[in-house]
Amino acid sequence: MSGPLLVLEDIRKTYISGGGLAVEVLRGVSLTVEAGEFVAIVGSSGSGKSTLMNILGGLDRPTSGRYRVDGRDVTALEGDERAALRRDGFGFVFQHYHLIPGTTAQENVEMPGRYAGLPAPLRESRAVELLGRLGLEERRHHRPNQLSGGQQQRVSIARALMNDAPVILADEPTGALDSASGAEVVALLRELSAAGRTVILITHDRKVAEAASRVIEMRDGRIVADSGRPAPPPVGAFPAPPERVVAGASLWTDAGEALSAALRSLGANGFRTALTLLGIVIGVASVIALLAIGEGAKQAVMARVGALGVNLVFVLAGSGDPRLPATPLTEADGEAILRLPNVESVMPYLDTPVMVRHGNIDHRTEGLATSASLPLTHRWPVAQGAFFTRADERAGAAVAVLGHGVAERLFPRGESPLGKHVLVNNIPFLVTGVMAKKGDLTGNQSTDDWVFVPLSTGVQRLIGKPDLQLILVSVHDVGRIERTRDAIHALLSERHGQEDFQIRDVTARIQAAAETQDTMTLLLGCAAVITLLVGGIGVMNIMLVSVTERTREIGIRMAVGARAADIERQFLMEAALVAGLGGLVGVALGLAGGAVIGLLAMPVVFTATAIAGAVASAVLTGMVFGLIPARRAARLDPVAALASE
């Protein structure tokens, strides 16, 4: 070191009062302090000594003048540079200790080391060593409210020594202590000076100032007396400084400190935290439950539509335009379609209302006249017996296959319908089979409630005319279904001489149903997201209150070297933690609520994507709405923050 450690040249500081009046607190202070000096600055209240200390420690900046630390001009330093100056150059000992409530003595001492980037094991051993040197090793796990005033001040001295700062700034360190504790603190400061540190003591007590080797008196913002500057004292023995990373804390170190601080803050205000969580919980639970309901409804509709078969093409009679004459569909049309490439089977279709009777049980349902290809075309197996054959069709046989529901209605005692006769519109039909349970495919009537008879038999005995309502076509290759549909269109247009038919396939129906259900799911999701945003506003409000309540804590962290990014990260972490906890509780509530709805009302389907997305959205919401409070905290002035109540 080639020159003085601290040099102030014509330092002036002017504050603007609330009424807009300029108040000059420092009036051209010039001062030089050598390394290793023990300097006491004395003066009455309002003399400007505390303001001078704030400027010396980088907590405040002068209105004009120059200030150099070890030859470096620090007058115009901003942001992180000033934080680094405080972290690596100065240790603060305050009149009211300024320990963080809710943290232990050791955690308070470790704090500067966190912001300096010290590894956890080195930081912990250094804190234990310092507290042991100051007689507090057995009290290191006690919180500030469990320590006496003298013990708290010794903890603050240990914190000031954590990063081995070359300058110790003590602002009225004995002001809140009894005489015995005050004497102990003064003795510690003298010992630190003897160990080679530069100690600057701010006090109004001249007896305390006598402990220093140099006394400077201030009055009305000026230095009015200086006892002179003796040679630096010899270097004594004090805990050796750690090897520190002067670039500051790493992202993970900062995140760990932010997380631990957030947990302490949330735990200290449990009821308020619960109220804050409520909005997020309701929002996430709504997202989970409503998306599950939407997905369940979508899959149910898709199942009904898909059960018809994705390989099916529907050829319907009539163009849909009543002004055009219509040529009915015929069995010959079906046979011609069957000869087209990629066509697997053709199922003609005629239906009519029928009354079915067995014994003294009557049941009104739908009779379906069709071909023997129905099980293949519809991918619909027979559960009992067998479906009628093509020979039955050619012979016009009076045979019938019952739907699962019809069989249960006509034979309620579990009696097998096979080989029995039933009356269909008072015409006896022999039951040859019972279809497997299929379910509701049409949205209004279950296909399990149909009776199936050969087409020729139905035309002759039940319907009376051969005009087909529908021809159902199954294809081999679903990838070529559009080409097959075009071929059917060309064939029928040629046969009929006009377009008096309609062609549909299940792919289009599935797509339309999917789009409809996606829209409904989106609407449900939007409603849930609105609830989540309301919860986010609640997080922002409570975080703004937290910043106001913890302003002094923020000032303390800044005094020991926290950068603006460290403060911002801490409050963002806290907001994310609140939202994340709310998200997890909301997931549990949403799963429970959705399960109850699924049992009582409708199908629900939970997806990992929806659950993960809801939690991620909650955390993101917390961080977005926590950004304003976090930035407000990071932009606080350290001096103003320390002075807050």
Side-chain angles (χ1 to χ4, degrees):
M1 188 177 301
S2 58
L5 180 60
L6 309 176
V7 178
L8 294 90
E9 298 175 358
D10 194 27
I11 295 296
R12 296 178 180 274
K13 181 64 179 180
T14 301
Y15 292 105
I16 305 299
S17 67
L21 181 65
V23 179
E24 192 173 25
V25 180
L26 296 180
R27 304 177 182 184
V29 173
S30 295
L31 177 63
T32 299
V33 178
E34 299 285 351
E37 282 195 82
F38 186 0
V39 180
I41 301 177
V42 297
S44 60
S45 178
S47 62
K49 58 186 187 300
S50 293
T51 301
L52 179 60
M53 188 203 78
N54 291 333
I55 291 174
L56 286 170
L59 292 171
D60 203 354
R61 58 176 58 85
T63 304
S64 63
R66 290 185 67 193
Y67 172 38
R68 296 195 302 275
V69 176
D70 197 16
R72 180 188 182 194
D73 189 350
V74 300
T75 306
L77 292 184
E78 299 288 345
D80 289 352
E81 292 179 313
R82 297 185 72 83
L85 174 69
R86 296 191 295 267
R87 182 190 68 214
D88 301 323
F90 297 93
F92 292 90
V93 181
F94 299 101
Q95 176 181 0
H96 296 291
Y97 326 129
H98 286 338
L99 302 179
I100 304 293
T103 62
T104 65
Q106 181 175 328
E107 289 169 338
N108 271 281
V109 175
E110 287 184 30
M111 191 186 309
R114 290 180 183 272
Y115 295 127
L118 287 178
L122 183 58
R123 190 174 65 232
E124 292 169 6
S125 64
R126 172 74 173 168
V128 171
E129 183 181 14
L130 286 169
L131 288 170
R133 176 65 182 82
L134 296 172
L136 292 173
E137 184 175 2
E138 294 183 357
R139 310 286 287 178
R140 59 193 177 95
H141 295 304
H142 288 64
R143 289 179 170 78
N145 61 359
Q146 297 171 318
L147 301 174
S148 68
Q151 289 171 334
Q152 290 187 60
Q153 193 62 286
R154 278 183 279 165
V155 171
S156 72
I157 292 173
R159 181 179 62 191
L161 296 171
M162 183 67 193
N163 289 347
D164 191 44
V167 181
I168 302 298
L169 296 173
D171 184 13
E172 299 282 5
T174 63
L177 302 177
D178 57 54
S179 57
S181 298
E184 290 179 1
V185 169
V186 171
L188 284 171
L189 294 176
R190 294 176 73 173
E191 189 174 346
L192 292 173
S193 176
R197 288 175 178 80
T198 302
V199 179
I200 300 177
L201 170 64
I202 307 296
T203 182
H204 67 280
D205 190 337
R206 292 187 178 273
K207 286 188 176 182
V208 172
E210 289 175 358
S213 55
R214 179 183 175 191
V215 179
I216 297 172
E217 183 177 355
M218 291 191 67
R219 187 181 305 141
D220 298 329
R222 294 185 176 92
I223 294 178
V224 296
D226 188 341
S227 67
R229 186 167 55 252
V235 176
F238 215 81
E243 296 179 5
R244 63 173 178 267
V245 182
V246 297
S250 67
L251 176 62
W252 287 112
T253 300
D254 281 351
E257 168 63 16
L259 181 60
S260 62
L263 289 171
R264 285 195 300 269
S265 175
L266 298 179
N269 299 280
F271 182 70
R272 188 175 69 189
T273 300
L275 291 179
T276 306
L277 289 174
L278 189 60
I280 296 293
V281 168
I282 294 174
V284 171
S286 301
V287 169
I288 296 293
L290 292 178
L291 289 182
I293 291 171
E295 184 66 23
K298 176 181 177 180
Q299 292 194 15
V301 171
M302 297 298 290
R304 287 198 297 269
V305 175
L308 293 171
V310 295
N311 65 326
L312 298 181
V313 176
F314 297 81
V315 182
L316 295 87
S319 64
D321 188 345
R323 297 171 297 178
L324 297 178
T327 301
L329 295 172
T330 64
E331 286 189 79
D333 289 330
E335 292 170 357
I337 293 172
L338 185 61
R339 291 191 290 270
L340 290 174
N342 196 40
V343 173
E344 177 186 47
S345 65
V346 171
M347 187 188 97
Y349 181 105
L350 271 172
D351 69 351
T352 184
V354 295
M355 176 68 75
V356 186
R357 171 180 292 181
H358 178 258
N360 60 352
I361 300 176
D362 291 339
H363 179 54
R364 185 171 295 279
T365 184
E366 291 288 328
L368 183 66
T370 185
S371 70
S373 63
L374 182 143
L376 172 63
T377 306
H378 250 310
R379 303 294 192 268
W380 192 354
V382 178
Q384 301 177 43
F387 207 76
F388 53 78
T389 64
R390 294 194 181 278
D392 293 329
E393 289 185 66
R394 289 191 294 270
V399 294
V401 177
L402 304 183
H404 181 82
V406 176
E408 287 187 338
R409 182 68 65 90
L410 297 181
F411 300 89
R413 298 180 181 178
E415 178 185 0
S416 174
L418 300 181
K420 304 292 194 304
H421 282 83
V422 295
L423 297 178
V424 181
N425 287 352
N426 291 323
I427 300 172
F429 280 77
L430 177 67
V431 178
T432 64
V434 177
M435 300 301 294
K437 190 172 184 179
K438 188 76 167 178
D440 182 4
L441 301 183
T442 65
N444 48 36
Q445 184 181 23
S446 173
T447 51
D448 292 330
D449 208 34
W450 287 348
V451 174
F452 307 93
V453 300
L455 180 65
S456 56
T457 307
V459 169
Q460 296 169 8
R461 302 193 180 192
L462 300 177
I463 302 172
K465 58 179 182 178
D467 298 345
L468 300 179
Q469 301 162 330
L470 170 71
I471 297 176
L472 194 60
V473 182
S474 68
V475 301
H476 291 288
D477 184 0
V478 177
R480 292 190 292 153
I481 193 169
E482 187 172 348
R483 191 182 309 170
T484 304
R485 188 179 61 198
D486 293 340
I488 295 172
H489 184 277
L491 173 68
L492 293 181
S493 296
E494 181 181 351
R495 288 177 60 85
H496 291 203
Q498 62 180 350
E499 191 173 326
D500 55 357
F501 54 86
Q502 301 174 60
I503 300 178
R504 303 284 186 270
D505 64 66
V506 175
T507 304
R509 296 180 68 180
I510 289 177
Q511 183 177 0
E515 290 175 354
T516 301
Q517 289 303 315
D518 285 342
T519 301
M520 292 301 299
T521 302
L522 179 61
L523 291 175
L524 291 174
C526 288
V529 167
I530 290 173
T531 307
L532 193 59
L533 291 177
V534 173
I537 294 173
V539 170
M540 181 173 65
N541 288 337
I542 209 67
M543 292 304 298
L544 287 172
V545 172
S546 180
V547 170
T548 302
E549 291 180 346
R550 295 160 58 193
T551 299
R552 178 176 290 183
E553 176 190 332
I554 296 167
I556 296 169
R557 292 181 181 277
M558 289 179 169
V560 300
R563 300 163 297 177
D566 297 325
I567 301 298
E568 184 172 318
R569 190 177 295 118
Q570 176 183 330
F571 280 87
L572 277 178
M573 182 74 71
E574 192 166 319
L577 183 62
V578 170
L581 288 174
L584 293 177
V585 175
V587 166
L589 188 61
L591 292 175
V596 171
I597 293 173
L599 290 174
L600 300 180
M602 62 184 67
V604 294
V605 176
F606 298 105
T607 64
T609 301
I611 294 172
V615 176
S617 297
V619 173
L620 182 61
T621 299
M623 295 187 70
V624 169
F625 283 94
L627 188 60
I628 292 177
R631 287 188 172 176
R632 176 175 293 186
R635 292 172 182 172
L636 287 175
D637 178 73
V639 175
L642 283 169
S644 69
E645 294 297 332

